[in-house]
């Protein structure tokens, strides 16, 4: 794909995903679909995305780091998966802090919402997560329209489910400003990718860290453990996305 077309495609992808953050709260069509069905379907797609796309990308990241001449980066030459584990642990710890803050605030004030400090910490981490994904969209766009559509399909559903969880923690603050920050972060990340190019090994190491966050978010939000979850729909989502990735 020509560079100009790839740049435009990456921008359109970033804007489309940013739009999900902004508009998901008002998506009337989504309310008409039973939540257990579409979250199970999204979970199946996301699990297929993890095993068939993220894990292979981590292997590429491992190779990029191993070939790096940087002593600081090459320190992790055998630890890309460790970085991914650290990323998962960070997002798990953040989620625990959010849940505790929400429970504490409800006990003290009766309001089921996270405290301001924890809310902002959560938003900052997710904004960094979005910014890095936005940066990586430029690389994805180079590989063509088909790959971009497949990526958008997976991340779109992933963002959709994550937004619902973020809204539940602090509905007012998220609606007023949180969703806008996350939307801008994606486009800003894409813009940084256009303006500068970081060392490939360093980007790979950061990607490994973020991959752990993606894995955690999928397991937390998109594989419901309640009796209303639908295994058949989950399996359908996994099979459909696996076929798309392996065609």
């Amino acid at each position: 794909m020509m560079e100009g077309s790839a740049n435009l495609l990456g921008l359109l992808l970033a804007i489309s995903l940013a739009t999900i953050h902004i508009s998901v709260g008002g998506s009337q069509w989504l309310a008409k679909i039973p939540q257990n069905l579409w979250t199970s379907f999204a979970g199946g797609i996301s699990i297929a995305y993890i095993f068939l796309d993220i894990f292979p990308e981590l292997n590429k990241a491992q190779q990029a780091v191993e070939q790096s001449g940087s002593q600081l980066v090459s320190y992790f030459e055998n630890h890309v998966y460790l970085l991914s584990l650290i990323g998962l642990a960070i997002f798990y710890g953040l989620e625990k802090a959010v849940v505790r803050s929400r429970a504490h605030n409800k006990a003290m004030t009766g309001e089921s919402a996270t405290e301001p400090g924890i809310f902002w910490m959560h938003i900052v981490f997710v904004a960094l997560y979005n910014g890095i994904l936005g940066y990586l969209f430029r690389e994805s766009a180079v590989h063509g329209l088909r790959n971009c559509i497949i990526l958008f399909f997976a991340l779109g559903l992933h963002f959709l489910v994550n937004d619902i969880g973020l809204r539940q923690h602090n509905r007012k603050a998220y609606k007023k400003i949180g969703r806008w920050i996350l939307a801008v972060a994606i486009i800003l990340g894409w813009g940084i990718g256009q303006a500068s190019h970081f060392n490939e090994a360093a980007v790979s190491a950061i990607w490994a860290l973020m991959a752990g966050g993606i894995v955690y978010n999928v397991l937390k939000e998109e594989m419901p453990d309640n009796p209303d979850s639908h295994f058949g729909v989950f399996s359908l989502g996994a099979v459909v996305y696996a076929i798309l990735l392996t065609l």
Side-chain angles (χ1 to χ4, degrees):
M1 179 177 288
M2 296 179 62
E3 185 175 354
S5 299
N7 291 343
L8 178 59
L9 187 57
L11 176 59
L12 290 175
L13 178 61
I15 291 174
S16 298
L17 289 176
T19 302
I20 291 176
H21 278 306
I22 295 171
S23 63
V24 66
S27 299
Q28 298 299 322
W29 63 270
L30 194 60
K32 298 177 182 180
I33 305 175
Q35 186 169 336
N36 68 312
L37 295 183
W38 65 261
T39 53
S40 295
F41 186 72
I45 288 175
S46 297
I47 287 298
Y49 173 58
I50 287 173
F51 279 92
L52 299 179
D53 196 43
I54 289 182
F55 285 168
E57 285 297 324
L58 284 177
N59 184 52
K60 293 179 183 177
Q62 177 70 52
Q63 295 174 13
V65 172
E66 287 176 354
Q67 296 168 6
S68 169
S70 168
Q71 292 184 351
L72 178 61
V73 176
S74 63
Y75 173 76
F76 293 104
E77 64 178 334
N78 296 314
H79 300 90
V80 163
Y81 289 97
L82 175 60
L83 286 173
S84 188
L85 176 61
I86 290 171
L88 187 150
I90 289 172
F91 276 88
Y92 174 67
L94 182 62
E95 180 67 19
K96 293 294 287 185
V98 167
V99 171
R100 284 196 298 268
S101 173
R102 187 176 173 185
H104 179 264
N105 198 35
K106 185 174 183 179
M108 298 297 293
T109 67
E111 184 181 8
S112 182
T114 53
E115 297 161 304
I118 298 296
F119 168 78
W120 282 111
M121 182 175 68
H122 197 188
I123 289 296
V124 166
F125 268 92
V126 179
L128 288 172
Y129 173 91
N130 281 7
I132 291 170
L133 288 176
Y135 176 89
L136 295 171
F137 290 158
R138 182 187 182 279
E139 302 300 324
S140 299
V142 173
H143 298 296
L145 178 62
R146 176 182 174 276
N147 287 335
C148 278
I149 292 175
I150 291 175
L151 178 64
F152 175 78
F153 190 44
L155 289 182
L157 286 172
H158 177 65
F159 279 25
L160 193 65
V161 178
N162 275 359
D163 270 34
I164 291 174
L166 288 166
R167 266 201 341 268
Q168 289 175 344
H169 290 316
N170 198 322
R171 184 176 297 273
K172 291 180 181 178
Y174 185 74
K175 183 178 180 180
K176 183 178 180 180
I177 190 170
R179 59 181 177 144
W180 295 98
I181 292 175
L182 300 187
V184 169
I186 299 172
I187 299 174
L188 183 60
W190 176 86
I192 292 173
Q194 289 295 112
S196 59
H197 301 285
F198 298 103
N199 177 277
E200 182 181 358
V203 172
S204 296
I206 295 172
W207 162 243
L209 199 66
M210 289 299 101
I214 294 175
V215 171
Y216 174 72
N217 284 324
V218 168
L219 295 177
K220 175 178 69 74
E221 297 287 358
E222 296 162 12
M223 291 187 67
D225 58 359
N226 59 66
D228 294 329
S229 60
H230 200 294
F231 178 74
V233 177
F234 171 86
S235 300
L236 176 64
V239 169
V240 167
Y241 199 68
I243 291 173
L244 289 175
L245 285 175
T246 54
L247 283 176

